[in-house]
Amino acid sequence: GENVEQHPSTLSVQEGDSAVIKCTYSDSASNYFPWYKQELGKRPQLIIDIRSNVGEKKDQRIAVTLNKTAKHFSLHITETQPEDSAVYFCAASPLQGAQKLVFGQGTRLTINP
Amino acid sequence: NAGVMQNPRHLVRRRGQEARLRCSPMKGHSHVYWYRQLPEEGLKFMVYLQKENIIDESGMPKERFSAEFPKEGPSILRIQQVVRGDSAAYFCASSPVLALFTDTQYFGPGTRLTVL
């Protein structure tokens, strides 16, 4: 079955700098890759997603890139702010349409003022 | 438009008791997924349901755990004879049916189960 690896497990950056989180997946049939942000004690919130027919997607300070050949995708956050501090999870959906998500282990991002 | 609703938000049970967790999907959604999150860990898929059907239960433990999504009412995740290892946050997510992208999942606030 699908396996998703996420790195790094913790990341600390200065406010205003960029943060990059990387994920690799094993199932070449996976075609949907969302990113969730989870603050302490809260629900995972979808922040951006990408499908396999697209190589890059941007939404203001957040961007995601996908390399299908290498089976990896990355989250880029620019001009980081203290409110970006949270745990970020990548996920992959192994089949078309509505299916389960396989999550990475999470990255704890800390933005230092 | 209310989001995914879960109740209770916190549940305390003693070993051997039963736990019932409820999930009401977003309006217009009829796909429901249950995930478990252990402390300091990621989310693990348990089960995927549509109304009156279990589509994929590959992540559900074979014993003590069951799930349903009846024609009327919320989806229920039931854990019988709870053990301390069941202590976790249980999240429900839902996704739409009649939409361009049926794979987008939105999460509820979770139920935090503590087994004493």
Side-chain angles (χ1 to χ4, degrees), chain B residues 21-34:
Chain B
L21 289 61
R22 295 175 190 76
C23 169
S24 296
M26 285 177 71
K27 189 175 181 180
H29 290 194
S30 63
H31 299 252
V32 166
Y33 311 79
W34 286 93

Side-chain angles (χ1 to χ4, degrees), chain A residues 31-32 36 38 40-46 49 51 89 93 97-106 108, chain B residues 3-4 9 31 33 35 37 40-43 45 48 56 58 91 95 101-109 112:
Chain A
N31 66 343
Y32 175 62
Y36 287 86
Q38 187 178 32
L40 189 63
K42 302 282 184 66
R43 75 183 76 194
Q45 282 193 297
L46 179 69
D49 56 14
R51 290 175 175 80
F89 291 98
S93 182
Q99 297 290 343
K100 67 184 180 186
L101 293 175
V102 178
F103 283 85
Q105 300 88 333
R108 183 176 299 280
Chain B
V4 179
R9 297 290 305 277
H31 299 252
Y33 311 79
Y35 294 85
Q37 186 175 38
E40 303 295 320
E41 292 191 12
L43 296 114
F45 168 78
Y48 160 38
D56 181 354
S58 59
F91 288 96
S95 65
F101 301 120
T102 57
D103 43 19
T104 305
Q105 296 183 23
Y106 299 93
F107 281 79
R112 277 147 189 86

Side-chain angles (χ1 to χ4, degrees), chain B residues 6-13 19-23 90 109-113:
Chain B
Q6 287 187 252
N7 67 81
R9 297 290 305 277
H10 300 273
L11 183 61
V12 180
R13 285 286 177 266
R20 279 185 176 235
L21 289 61
R22 295 175 190 76
C23 169
Y90 291 82
T111 294
R112 277 147 189 86
L113 173 65

Side-chain angles (χ1 to χ4, degrees), chain A residues 50-67:
Chain A
I50 192 166
R51 290 175 175 80
S52 57
N53 58 342
V54 174
E56 183 175 357
K57 184 176 177 180
K58 270 185 103 168
D59 182 3
Q60 299 182 351
R61 297 186 297 108
I62 295 172
V64 57
T65 58
L66 171 64
N67 183 326

Side-chain angles (χ1 to χ4, degrees), chain B residues 35-53:
Chain B
Y35 294 85
R36 177 164 62 178
Q37 186 175 38
L38 294 170
E40 303 295 320
E41 292 191 12
L43 296 114
K44 302 288 187 202
F45 168 78
M46 299 181 74
V47 62
Y48 160 38
L49 310 102
Q50 294 177 19
K51 287 281 186 183
E52 300 184 282
N53 279 306

